[in-house]
Amino acid sequence: MTQGTVFKQEDIDKVQKGMTKDQVIFILGNPTFENFFEPDVWNYFYQAKIGDEILSESKLKVKFNNDGLVDEVIVLGLDSGL
């Protein structure tokens, strides 16, 4: 079973500081979820598992500045997995 947004390092490398939200969506797709308490942070999450065993998991945060442009991309975990 897989959940979330599938992304690769090459996709992450395309996301550059100063890009618009639309440009990020074009590269990575819509965020997996947005945090109400961090409206300028998009979270991407991917997980593949069989039963209770996690085979692969990746997490990514994209932070935007007050102008809605990419300020920072944080890779919290990128597992090539399968």
Side-chain angles (χ1 to χ4, degrees), residues 45-58 79:
F45 176 77
Y46 171 78
Q47 185 179 74
K49 66 181 185 176
I50 295 177
D52 291 334
E53 181 185 357
I54 297 172
L55 303 175
S56 177
E57 187 172 272
S58 302
D79 180 1

Side-chain angles (χ1 to χ4, degrees), residues 28-42:
L28 296 176
N30 288 309
T32 309
F33 62 93
E34 296 177 57
N35 185 335
F36 176 76
F37 298 104
E38 293 181 298
D40 293 325
V41 177
W42 284 2

Side-chain angles (χ1 to χ4, degrees), residues 1-13:
M1 178 170 142
T2 60
Q3 293 179 314
T5 305
V6 178
F7 50 89
K8 300 176 185 166
Q9 185 63 50
E10 61 196 44
D11 297 328
I12 296 167
D13 292 343

Side-chain angles (χ1 to χ4, degrees), residues 7 12 43-44 57-61 73-78:
F7 50 89
I12 296 167
N43 296 280
Y44 290 86
E57 187 172 272
S58 302
K59 299 174 187 173
L60 174 72
K61 279 184 180 265
V73 177
I74 303 166
V75 178
L76 300 171
L78 186 63

